Amino acid sequence: MSGRTDFFFRQKVTEAELDLAFELLELADRNLAADIGVYGIISGAEPTPHSPVPNLTVDLTAPTRAYDNLGQRIFFGTGQVVDCSVDLTGIPTEVPVAGQERWLGLFLRFERLLSDPRTDGNSQQVFFRRDESFEVVVRQGPLGPVGGASKVPLMPDELLVCDVLRKNAQTQILAPDLDVSRRQAFIFAQGDAVQIVSGVWSILAPAVNTVQAALDEVDSELADHFGGTARRHPAGDIDYTPHGFVAASDVQTAIDEVVDDLSATTAGNPGAQRVGADAVSGTPNALAASNVDSHLSQILGWLNAHLAATSGAHNASAIAAAVHSYIAGTTVQAQLQEIVSDLALQTAGSAGASRVGADAVSGSPNALAAGTVDSQLADLLADGNDHVGATSGAHAASAISVADSGGNLTASNVETALAEILDAFEDDHFRGNEGSAGQHRTIHQPSMGSGKVLLWDANGVGAAATHLRVYVDNDSLWFTLNASWNGSAWARDSTGNFCGGFRFSRSDFEILHEDSFAATFTTWNRSWRLAFRDVPNSAFTTNGVISEIGRLGYESHNTYNATRNMAVGGANTFRSRFPATPSSITFSETSSFNAGGAPDLWDADRDGFGYFDYVNVAANTTLYWFGTYQAVA
Amino acid sequence: MPIRELRTDDLDQECSKCGRVVAVPFTAIAAGISREGQVNTNVMALPACATCGSAEFLLRSPYDEDHPSQGSYGHKHKLLVDKLHAELVQRGRVAEGLKPEDVPTKEPPTAVVDRWFKDGLRLEPPPKTDGEGQ
């Protein structure tokens, strides 16, 4: 309710009286809100960066409804764009210094919107309408270092929408720059102004029965509970979902089970088996990911194996050793190396052998006195040199044995071995104490096998092309140059040269030639064979590429007194018998007279050929033709 | 070394006397010779050498004779001569007064020719100098 005015009959009402009536009514409305404590932004006025392109303005959503601390209603129905580049007094809000910042405060403030101007009785212009309106106010705080600038204080008659952060060289206000943590949202009523009934509560006992006191009591209880000072849960009242090897369904039982299982010493099921262990790298041993029980077993095994090792347990350099005598090293490795180095020394007076003691050795004719290996070696060398330097009588040959690892001798000592060698030597040679010492007697050769047996192999001047060999087989004796018998074929010593040879037997004699340059061959591709008992046996029978050049010719005379066609010709026998009928015979003229050219060939075979011609010869005229032939077969 | 190579319509001839090599067309030679009734069908007379005047005669091998050294130069040359002789008769190139049917031939079988002349009807002369091999 509000204060009232009671206008009366025939009262002449003044402006001030009418205004008072409205003000009393408006005051009652605002007092109600203020008394209840209603104030703040009910809805709307949500700040967002300007859209579509952010700049130094901030968009506020609409519709917006709010009440300030005086109960004045603030409303706007359309979205607002708030320029944050200047404050309410027009002063720029920019931050001119790098490393500093400034907070702005966006406030809503109640305002009257005057309209409908009229002229009163005093000829003054007044506004008949004074509607409720609003104003968005930008206030700026002082500059401060980044993270340390203070925010704008709250205004008693304004509502804070949000704080806005301004930074150096800023051209856009983005979402992270908007802070609504201090936004003055709507409060309907104060908690201590609302009554509650707590008579049947079992836990909460607020000091007074108001909402505020009840919430304070809840907060205290929760603080005790969360802080663990009181109101704690028994572990048995906390549920637990069974997991892994723990089957219990509450925390108390689960913990008991964990403790029991971890402390178990049962063989094959100890607590360590339930504790995981990650992989551990190392050399020479490494552990794969498993559990503590497994790792302990492996480590124990390695340790026992190491302690029981009979070799390779440690590097000698890892084992300490005490200095002793002339050994100065402090580890086994160092001492061993030092010993080896000292033993290997060849320095006169401190050689390794001088480090090794030697006892006396009796003997005859020589004996060794006790000393060092060095001294005894010197004594032995002297004795040996004396022996080797002996110019006579050092040993009887019969006292020197022969090892004969090759099994070449019957004898077992030098004396009998020399006799045995000379017995064998003198069969085909003159002895050293005879005339023509060392020269051959008759050469005797027993049977040395079958096939072609090599009797003589001589490479007199070292040239492969003239390497001489003599073979014999069941029928013939072979002499070859640049050819050896490999068991199945003739093999060239030099593949760049011809091979030559001859063979004779009891029935024939054959000259051999091979010019193919093949590495091996089985047939001599040219040969001249004289068979002692063949027909004919007056000439060689040739084989291979044979070319013969010989003479032929004819001469005749026409004794008639008129020209006559004369038949002329003859026959020729080859020097050797060709392997076959020649395939080519060439006649070359050496001289002719009245002949019409070379004669024609006639009746050729492997032994020779005939030739003929028909020539018209003048009366009492001679004709002749002489030339050579060349035959190829 | 008369025939170096036998081709489709001619042959290369090397003169035994002077060594000149000339191409002789088949149209310049004939199988057989016939003089005054004296006929030899086995012989082919080659043109006289233009350098030295030598006259070469190629002789077809007798029917009852096989070369004792198969694969030798002499054997291969004989095969070329026999094939040339048969080729001339087949083409009707026979000496004047003869008919092809009157000239018996001894053409070597194709298999024999293929065996000894894998690279064509070509016959290189045998090496003349010791030390020419590799």
Side-chain angles (χ1 to χ4, degrees):
Chain A
M1 292 300 104
S2 64
R4 296 178 60 92
T5 55
D6 189 11
F7 301 109
F8 53 91
F9 181 67
R10 292 190 177 185
Q11 178 181 356
K12 187 178 181 179
V13 180
T14 67
E15 176 192 357
E17 290 170 341
L18 286 174
D19 289 344
L20 175 63
F22 277 102
E23 287 173 357
L24 290 173
L25 188 61
E26 185 181 69
L27 180 62
D29 180 32
R30 291 176 178 166
N31 283 342
L32 175 61
D35 292 344
I36 295 173
V38 171
Y39 75 97
I41 302 168
I42 299 172
S43 63
E46 297 290 344
T48 58
H50 183 64
S51 179
V53 179
N55 51 26
L56 293 179
T57 65
V58 174
D59 294 346
L60 298 180
T61 60
T64 294
R65 297 178 182 83
Y67 286 90
D68 65 11
N69 283 313
L70 300 177
Q72 300 177 118
R73 183 172 183 262
I74 301 171
F75 173 81
F76 53 87
T78 57
Q80 302 295 311
V81 177
V82 183
D83 183 4
C84 294
S85 63
V86 294
D87 66 4
L88 75 167
T89 61
I91 298 174
T93 62
E94 66 178 352
V95 178
V97 181
Q100 292 193 323
E101 64 183 14
R102 181 200 305 281
W103 283 102
L104 308 182
L106 263 61
F107 295 91
L108 295 180
R109 183 165 71 184
F110 178 79
E111 185 60 274
R112 289 285 183 184
L113 179 61
L114 305 181
S115 63
D116 193 4
R118 299 186 188 185
T119 303
D120 64 7
N122 296 323
S123 300
Q124 297 293 317
Q125 186 181 45
V126 297
F127 293 95
F128 183 71
R129 294 291 301 269
R130 301 171 64 87
D131 295 331
E132 291 182 335
S133 184
F134 73 99
E135 185 179 12
V136 180
V137 177
V138 176
R139 299 182 184 278
Q140 62 176 316
L143 287 172
V146 172
S150 58
K151 293 181 177 177
V152 179
L154 297 178
M155 297 293 113
D157 55 346
E158 296 176 0
L159 296 174
L160 178 67
V161 174
C162 67
D163 294 304
V164 179
L165 183 63
R166 292 282 280 127
K167 296 171 283 194
N168 176 250
Q170 185 181 35
T171 59
Q172 292 178 320
I173 296 174
L174 304 175
D177 300 324
L178 301 175
D179 182 4
V180 296
S181 61
R182 294 201 303 155
R183 177 183 172 92
Q184 290 181 286
F186 178 69
I187 296 176
F188 181 75
Q190 297 292 340
D192 53 5
V194 181
Q195 183 82 23
I196 53 104
V197 178
S198 61
V200 295
W201 292 359
S202 60
I203 299 299
L204 297 179
V208 293
N209 282 335
T210 66
V211 169
Q212 184 63 50
L215 290 175
D216 290 344
E217 180 68 7
V218 170
D219 178 66
S220 175
E221 292 288 346
L222 288 176
D224 289 345
H225 176 68
F226 295 148
T229 57
R231 299 293 185 184
R232 291 175 296 190
H233 289 290
D237 293 342
I238 302 174
D239 290 343
Y240 171 78
T241 302
H243 174 74
F245 61 88
V246 181
S249 59
D250 63 74
V251 171
Q252 181 64 54
T253 312
I255 292 173
D256 293 345
E257 196 173 338
V258 168
V259 171
D260 292 344
D261 287 346
L262 288 179
S263 60
T265 58
T266 309
N269 190 27
Q273 199 175 69
R274 295 181 174 79
V275 182
D278 61 351
V280 182
S281 60
T283 300
N285 299 312
L287 292 168
S290 180
N291 57 58
V292 170
D293 183 55
S294 170
H295 281 191
L296 288 172
S297 297
Q298 289 187 61
I299 293 170
L300 178 62
W302 292 332
L303 178 60
N304 285 337
H306 174 71
L307 295 176
T310 57
S311 63
H314 281 293
N315 290 330
S317 59
I319 303 174
V323 173
H324 173 70
S325 184
Y326 62 90
I327 305 300
T330 57
T331 68
V332 170
Q333 179 70 34
Q335 290 198 352
L336 286 172
Q337 289 182 213
E338 195 173 339
I339 291 169
V340 169
S341 298
D342 288 345
L343 288 177
L345 274 180
Q346 299 175 355
T347 309
S350 60
S354 67
R355 306 285 191 186
V356 183
D359 61 349
V361 182
S362 60
S364 178
N366 299 310
L368 293 171
T372 66
V373 169
D374 188 55
S375 65
Q376 290 196 349
L377 283 173
D379 293 344
L380 286 172
L381 177 63
D383 294 342
N385 285 337
D386 290 345
H387 176 71
V388 173
T391 56
S392 64
H395 282 292
S398 59
I400 303 173
S401 62
V402 290
D404 190 22
S405 59
N408 300 310
L409 296 168
T410 303
S412 59
N413 62 63
V414 172
E415 178 69 26
T416 54
L418 287 172
E420 185 179 335
I421 292 169
L422 279 176
D423 285 345
F425 180 78
E426 69 183 356
D427 284 346
D428 281 1
H429 294 78
F430 291 96
R431 293 194 309 270
N433 59 356
E434 294 178 325
S436 304
Q439 293 190 18
H440 269 287
R441 298 177 190 270
T442 302
I443 298 173
H444 299 85
Q445 289 183 281
S447 172
M448 292 188 288
S450 58
K452 283 184 176 58
V453 173
L454 179 63
L455 301 179
W456 187 14
D457 185 320
N459 194 13
V461 296
T466 56
H467 197 140
L468 169 67
R469 293 178 180 84
V470 178
Y471 294 89
V472 68
D473 58 21
N474 284 336
D475 296 320
S476 302
L477 182 66
W478 303 70
F479 286 74
T480 65
L481 289 178
N482 192 29
S484 64
W485 183 252
N486 65 12
S488 59
W490 294 102
R492 271 187 161 74
D493 296 300
S494 166
T495 55
N497 292 98
F498 298 151
C499 298
F502 64 89
R503 174 189 66 81
F504 71 88
S505 69
R506 297 181 304 277
S507 300
D508 60 356
F509 175 79
E510 189 173 25
I511 302 170
L512 305 167
H513 179 77
E514 215 286 336
D515 63 4
S516 69
F517 299 127
T520 60
F521 58 91
T522 56
T523 303
W524 298 80
N525 61 14
R526 299 191 191 199
S527 66
W528 294 259
R529 177 173 173 265
L530 181 62
F532 303 152
R533 298 181 63 81
D534 283 0
V535 177
N537 62 358
S538 60
F540 283 94
T541 298
T542 65
N543 199 6
V545 180
I546 300 299
S547 181
E548 176 168 300
I549 298 176
R551 300 300 302 269
L552 76 163
Y554 65 83
E555 181 168 359
S556 188
H557 186 86
N558 179 11
T559 58
Y560 194 59
N561 58 2
T563 298
R564 284 291 181 267
N565 184 262
M566 294 182 65
V568 293
N572 209 326
T573 301
F574 296 135
R575 293 187 184 89
S576 297
R577 196 170 212 211
F578 276 50
T581 301
S583 57
S584 170
I585 298 177
T586 300
F587 295 158
S588 301
E589 180 183 297
T590 55
S591 63
S592 67
F593 182 72
N594 287 334
D600 287 328
L601 181 67
W602 181 256
D603 200 17
D605 63 15
R606 55 189 298 206
D607 290 315
F609 60 89
Y611 53 94
F612 71 99
D613 204 350
Y614 289 91
V615 185
N616 287 323
V617 185
N620 290 315
T621 300
T622 297
L623 80 159
Y624 62 85
W625 186 96
F626 292 99
T628 62
Y629 69 87
Q630 186 163 358
V632 176
Chain B
M1 313 305 167
I3 298 180
R4 279 280 191 84
E5 184 176 4
L6 198 59
R7 293 184 288 269
T8 305
D9 295 313
D10 64 353
L11 62 93
D12 278 345
Q13 175 207 9
E14 178 181 356
C15 178
S16 298
K17 176 74 173 179
C18 67
R20 181 171 182 262
V21 178
V22 295
V24 180
F26 290 173
T27 55
I29 55 178
I33 57 174
S34 176
R35 298 287 301 277
E36 304 292 341
Q38 196 168 348
V39 176
N40 189 341
T41 60
N42 298 340
V43 177
M44 293 167 283
L46 297 179
C49 175
T51 301
C52 67
S54 296
E56 178 173 355
F57 298 91
L58 301 177
L59 289 84
R60 192 215 72 192
S61 62
Y63 283 111
D64 57 352
E65 180 183 281
D66 286 328
H67 200 286
S69 297
Q70 298 284 304
S72 66
Y73 176 83
H75 173 234
K76 290 181 177 179
H77 187 261
K78 185 172 290 292
L79 291 174
L80 291 181
V81 171
D82 289 350
K83 183 166 182 58
L84 173 64
H85 183 266
E87 185 70 28
L88 291 175
V89 173
Q90 288 168 13
R91 297 186 183 201
R93 297 290 308 164
V94 295
E96 186 177 352
L98 296 177
K99 296 177 182 177
E101 56 269 28
D102 297 333
V103 182
T105 61
K106 188 185 177 186
E107 183 174 10
T110 302
V112 173
V113 174
D114 290 344
R115 178 186 176 193
W116 297 114
F117 295 95
K118 291 182 172 61
D119 298 324
L121 299 176
R122 190 177 301 111
L123 185 56
E124 296 296 331
K128 295 181 178 177
T129 305
D130 190 17
E132 284 183 340
Q134 298 301 311

